[in-house]
Amino acid sequence: DAKTTQPNSMESNEEEPVHLPCNHSTISGTDYIHWYRQLPSQGPEYVIHGLTSNVNNRMASLAIAEDRKSSTLILHRATLRDAAVYYCILQKTGANNLFFGTGTRLTVIP
Amino acid sequence: DTGVSQNPRHKITKRGQNVTFRCDPISEHNRLYWYRQTLGQGPEFLTYFQNEAQLEKSRLLSDRFSAERPKGSFSTLEIQRTEQGDSAMYLCASSLGASRSLEQYFGPGTRLTVT
């Protein structure tokens, strides 16, 4: 499975935008880019996914580099409830499971 | 609440005992997954079902582990002769069929402590 690289931790001030980076230099053409997050004492939660184009939903935006070797999850206004571990995951089309790494622990400062 | 539910939420057992966990997926989801998560690590895939058929098993799923989904609805994960290394959070997730398998919905997990 293609590997992703994320910073271990990041901090953000409340109500400011957060850009969470992910490198995936060995991505193949059929790999989807997923983001999940895990709040303390909860199971992971789907955030967003994309293939080639940038994506927006109610939770976040996903910006994908033109060569697809990196992507950025954008939280437009961080709140205290966004403090979580964020996982960037590559999934091949038709694959049935998700391979989580260790993710980025986001701390939101009031 | 129509999300994925897991029972029990916590289980403490002595080494060598058997334990069984239950997962109730979102009702219209035909795919069900089990993952294991140890402290400081991301979840690791164990196995997955499509309806009642167990279609994939990870190498992490030793002979002491067995999972069932008898009627294609709820699932159970049994661990026989538990070992201290089995202490972890066991997570269940479900998803719609193949076209939507990219979005998995997770339950809150069952935390197992083997003493």
Side-chain angles (χ1 to χ4, degrees):
Chain A
D1 296 284
K3 182 178 170 58
T4 63
T5 304
Q6 300 177 253
N8 288 333
S9 62
M10 291 184 64
E11 286 186 351
S12 173
N13 293 320
E14 193 177 10
E15 298 189 3
E16 293 197 354
V18 184
H19 291 234
L20 297 164
C22 180
N23 287 322
H24 28 78
S25 58
T26 59
I27 191 170
S28 72
T30 57
D31 289 346
Y32 280 82
I33 301 161
H34 286 258
W35 285 82
Y36 280 72
R37 72 179 185 180
Q38 189 170 21
L39 281 64
S41 302
Q42 295 187 27
E45 174 187 28
Y46 168 82
V47 177
I48 200 166
H49 77 275
L51 184 61
T52 56
S53 304
N54 294 345
V55 184
N56 300 295
N57 68 19
R58 63 175 180 81
M59 290 182 69
S61 295
L62 176 60
I64 301 173
E66 196 169 333
D67 64 5
R68 301 187 71 235
K69 294 187 176 183
S70 66
S71 61
T72 303
L73 180 71
I74 302 166
L75 306 179
H76 296 286
R77 281 180 78 240
T79 69
L80 296 178
R81 292 189 299 175
D82 291 322
V85 178
Y86 286 79
Y87 296 99
C88 171
I89 301 164
L90 299 184
Q91 184 183 26
K92 294 190 182 301
T93 304
N96 300 307
N97 51 349
L98 299 171
F99 286 91
F100 292 79
T102 52
T104 297
R105 181 172 298 278
L106 175 67
T107 301
V108 180
I109 301 167
Chain B
D1 182 35
T2 57
V4 178
S5 62
Q6 293 187 247
N7 288 289
R9 294 292 308 277
H10 304 273
K11 179 71 176 178
I12 300 173
T13 191
K14 293 184 177 180
R15 188 175 53 191
Q17 297 295 304
N18 299 344
V19 293
T20 300
F21 311 139
R22 176 177 170 128
C23 170
D24 287 89
I26 294 171
S27 59
E28 63 267 28
H29 286 183
N30 58 1
R31 292 191 167 196
L32 186 147
Y33 313 79
W34 285 98
Y35 290 80
R36 181 177 73 182
Q37 185 173 26
T38 53
L39 204 59
Q41 303 298 312
E44 298 172 292
F45 170 76
L46 292 178
T47 189
Y48 117 90
F49 292 83
Q50 179 158 322
N51 300 312
E52 66 275 12
Q54 187 174 18
L55 297 184
E56 190 171 343
K57 290 194 282 188
S58 158
R59 287 171 294 179
L60 292 174
L61 211 65
S62 77
D63 291 345
R64 296 183 298 104
F65 287 69
S66 63
E68 293 182 345
R69 194 182 183 200
K71 297 182 180 179
S73 56
F74 73 91
S75 175
T76 57
L77 177 68
E78 181 183 16
I79 309 174
Q80 296 182 326
R81 304 181 304 281
T82 52
E83 302 173 356
Q84 287 188 319
D86 297 331
S87 295
M89 176 75 82
Y90 289 84
L91 293 160
C92 175
S94 68
S95 70
L96 287 168
S99 64
R100 297 292 299 275
S101 65
L102 305 179
E103 276 183 57
Q104 295 185 16
Y105 295 82
F106 283 80
T110 294
R111 181 168 296 284
L112 173 67
T113 303
V114 182
T115 61

